[in-house]
Amino acid sequence: MLRTTIALITAIVVGGSLLGAFGSSPSAEAVSGVSTTGAVSAAAALTALSPVTNDPQQLAKVIVAAQKAGNFSTDPGSIYDREIAPAATGQVIDGCGVDVRILQVIVLTLNRFGSARVSDIERPCIGSNLNCGAPTYSVHCLDPGEAIDFANVGGVTLNGSNTQTRNLLSYLDHFVPSGTNAGQQECRASNPLPLTNISQFSDSCNHQHIDFRNTNQPMNAAALASVLPTIAQASPYVKMLYNDYLNRAPSADEITGWATQLANGAPRNSVSTGFVDSDEYRLIRINAAYQRVLGRGGDATGIQNWLNAMYAGTITTDDIETSFYASAEYYQKHGNTDLGFVASLYTTLLNRNGSASDYAFWTNLVALHGRAWVITQFWSSQETISERISLMYQTYLGRQPDAGGLAGWVAVALQIGDSGLRSALTSSDEYWALSQSGNRPTVLQPQVQRLAPAPSSPETTPAPTPSESATTPTPAPPPSSPSPTITPAPPAPAPTPAATPSATPSATPPAPPASAPPSSAPPSSAPPTSSTPPAHTP
């Protein structure tokens, strides 16, 4: 007896075409990751359909096309003959129903990895009652089938622990509902795999089991509606991040590591934040601060101490420059007087000279509140922030910021810091598009666009009214071992990092800043505004 397949869910679309799943032009491979020849003729009639829909018949047609192209198989073959092929004609053999989410998982896997071999779905349909009774009651015995065992994906045999298994689970975790199950947890015991929506349990290490026994929820419509990049598409983006943050070309393993995270659903801002928080980038910022602010290279101990302070959370990457500006060494290099110190801040941070009354105004505040407090006012001023943001636009996007984008980013700059700004800009759609085109404009004569010019005299700028907590200058980090060659130096070092810092991805990418604008919003549109106005403008 024949009957229709189960349950409709919210209409969902994965970008790209069926040709993208089984071989076509690069632009059609938005979801595949693997281009396989031979299936174009079998799939040609379906190119207008979504590879992943809520329609079991269309999903089964995609799988049938893959089978005809040699990219999908089952062992035993009766799984395909009785559970998949009939559904492609709109019918299902009685007792052989398959949950629509299982069909979706198969199509997603084919799209991402190019091929798959399945060893189990619904056992009674093919004449097996293995573990169908007490005490096991295997989920493979349910009708419609809510479980699937993958034996091979993308030409690689799965064993519950190898890289291909981990890639499959990380990828599917992006789409499946919370409460989805995956076996083989003990196979990964030596290298646990953190997953968000998938709960893990123990199973034999000769396949990869996935089931939906504990959830009736549909697949994640928002995730399915998005288009995950292929590894090939993510690679230029990764290369541009290495160039912009680390000033070098990445190795093949580094490209593959980050690109795989993106292909498996990691948001771009988690990857860009990984670069911002890497030891290698932090060391670049530390060395640059020594050169730019103090005019010299850093000594090994001082550099390591600053890096260790970042590990300990005593300072952030964004605190480096301000700490150096407030140091005794910087003060001594600029006349060893409050007047010389203030004048240098105008030329260094504002790229202009102040008037005599400006200098007198801020020199008085140095005496009242200390150098660190004054540095904070300059660094946090609207003029200085807009200058830094403009330079970031030029560096990462190859253009000047539009007025709306500049105003929006200035509004959140104090909340997310310079690192948050960098991460947000380099995870934007505009930055991604530039990486794909390989044609980023070059600003030959950089011009800094400021949101508003600073007033020229203290008469037009009232003296700031510091809060109670601001009346005491922020102390510089105490040195771990006083030495005239380690100026400035942060607190005593934490555990020594690896000898060769690298931005190689970790198992769990760092979370993006909570207040950062979403990566989907281009930087030209204003991010969320802040109710707290920027600090007093020098």
Side-chain angles (χ1 to χ4, degrees):
M1 178 179 177
L2 299 173
R3 63 180 174 79
T4 57
T5 290
I6 60 167
L8 295 178
I9 62 175
T10 305
I12 40 182
V13 175
V14 169
S17 67
L18 185 61
L19 285 177
F22 301 116
S24 180
S25 65
S27 61
E29 296 170 5
V31 190
S32 68
V34 178
S35 182
T36 307
T37 59
V40 175
S41 58
L46 303 177
T47 56
L49 299 175
S50 166
V52 183
T53 74
N54 67 315
D55 186 341
Q57 182 176 355
Q58 299 302 337
L59 293 167
K61 285 182 179 181
V62 173
I63 301 170
V64 168
Q67 191 271 345
K68 290 179 179 179
N71 298 321
F72 179 78
S73 63
T74 65
D75 185 14
S78 55
I79 296 174
Y80 172 79
D81 295 336
R82 295 177 61 81
E83 301 176 37
I84 303 294
T89 65
Q91 297 177 318
V92 176
I93 297 174
D94 191 34
C96 296
V98 178
D99 189 302
V100 68
R101 295 169 297 180
I102 295 297
L103 297 175
Q104 289 171 323
V105 162
I106 294 173
V107 173
L108 284 167
T109 301
L110 290 170
N111 285 346
R112 171 67 173 80
F113 298 95
S115 66
R117 185 171 75 247
V118 170
S119 58
D120 206 352
I121 298 180
E122 211 271 4
R123 290 176 186 170
C125 171
I126 60 172
S128 172
N129 290 304
L130 178 66
N131 296 327
C132 286
T136 306
Y137 297 107
S138 171
V139 68
H140 284 291
C141 302
L142 296 177
D143 180 31
E146 294 185 357
I148 185 169
D149 287 354
F150 285 100
N152 186 294
V153 164
V156 178
T157 299
L158 304 187
N159 61 10
S161 63
N162 59 8
T163 299
Q164 193 77 327
T165 301
R166 298 172 71 88
N167 285 342
L168 174 66
L169 291 177
S170 296
Y171 171 69
L172 293 178
D173 190 54
H174 184 65
F175 302 100
V176 298
S178 178
T180 300
N181 297 308
Q184 289 69 43
Q185 182 179 34
E186 84 286 5
C187 310
R188 300 181 287 274
S190 62
N191 186 17
L193 177 64
L195 298 170
T196 300
N197 295 313
I198 295 177
S199 300
Q200 303 176 65
F201 65 95
S202 297
D203 200 357
S204 56
C205 300
N206 58 1
H207 64 286
Q208 182 54 57
H209 172 98
I210 298 166
D211 73 66
F212 298 103
R213 73 186 112 164
N214 292 329
T215 176
N216 293 321
Q217 296 300 309
M219 301 284 272
N220 185 327
L224 286 168
S226 67
V227 179
L228 292 181
T230 65
I231 292 176
Q233 290 168 332
S235 295
Y237 173 71
V238 172
K239 291 177 183 177
M240 199 152 90
L241 290 176
Y242 269 90
N243 178 72
D244 288 345
Y245 280 103
L246 307 183
N247 303 313
R248 67 176 176 87
S251 68
D253 286 344
E254 287 171 327
I255 295 173
T256 300
W258 286 114
T260 298
Q261 287 197 29
L262 290 162
N264 285 346
R268 289 201 298 266
N269 56 8
S270 75
V271 172
S272 60
T273 299
F275 278 79
V276 169
D277 291 340
S278 70
D279 288 351
E280 188 170 353
Y281 176 68
R282 285 170 167 172
L283 286 170
I284 288 173
R285 289 284 299 274
I286 293 168
N287 280 292
Y290 270 100
Q291 290 291 349
R292 183 169 56 250
V293 181
L294 301 182
R296 66 174 176 88
D299 59 283
T301 304
I303 292 171
Q304 187 64 62
N305 284 347
W306 282 110
L307 182 61
N308 290 337
M310 292 177 185
Y311 289 155
T314 308
I315 63 168
T316 69
T317 307
D318 300 329
D319 295 328
I320 284 294
E321 285 87 355
T322 55
S323 298
F324 278 38
Y325 281 120
S327 69
E329 182 174 349
Y330 180 84
Y331 187 80
Q332 292 165 2
K333 285 179 178 292
H334 293 85
N336 206 27
T337 65
D338 291 349
L339 177 59
F341 170 72
V342 167
S344 75
L345 297 184
Y346 269 88
T347 56
T348 303
L349 296 180
L350 303 182
N351 293 312
R352 64 180 177 85
N353 294 319
S355 66
S357 55
D358 287 330
Y359 296 153
F361 175 75
W362 287 103
T363 298
N364 180 59
L365 291 176
V366 172
L368 287 174
H369 306 299
R371 296 193 304 272
W373 186 88
V374 168
I375 283 291
T376 298
Q377 309 314 303
F378 272 76
W379 191 260
S380 303
S381 71
Q382 198 172 73
E383 182 178 2
T384 311
I385 292 173
S386 61
E387 179 163 341
R388 296 201 303 274
I389 292 171
S390 292
L391 291 174
M392 290 182 196
Y393 265 80
Q394 293 165 16
T395 299
Y396 302 130
L397 304 181
R399 68 175 176 88
Q400 293 290 325
D402 57 285
L406 180 61
W409 289 118
V410 167
V412 299
L414 296 180
Q415 299 176 43
I416 65 177
D418 280 22
S419 292
L421 291 168
R422 294 175 193 277
S423 177
L425 287 172
T426 56
S427 62
S428 69
D429 290 342
E430 182 175 353
Y431 186 88
W432 173 272
L434 289 171
S435 75
Q436 300 302 296
S437 70
N439 188 29
R440 178 169 50 184
T442 300
V443 180
L444 298 178
Q445 294 181 334
Q447 296 178 349
V448 174
Q449 179 179 343
R450 296 185 177 90
L451 189 62
S456 59
S457 67
E459 285 76 24
T460 59
T461 306
T465 303
S467 63
E468 186 66 28
S469 60
T471 58
T472 302
T474 304
S480 56
S481 54
S483 168
T485 62
I486 310 176
T487 307
T496 303
T500 306
S502 171
T504 303
S506 58
T508 305
S515 59
S519 62
S520 60
S524 57
S525 58
T529 58
S530 168
S531 59
T532 304
H536 171 78
T537 302

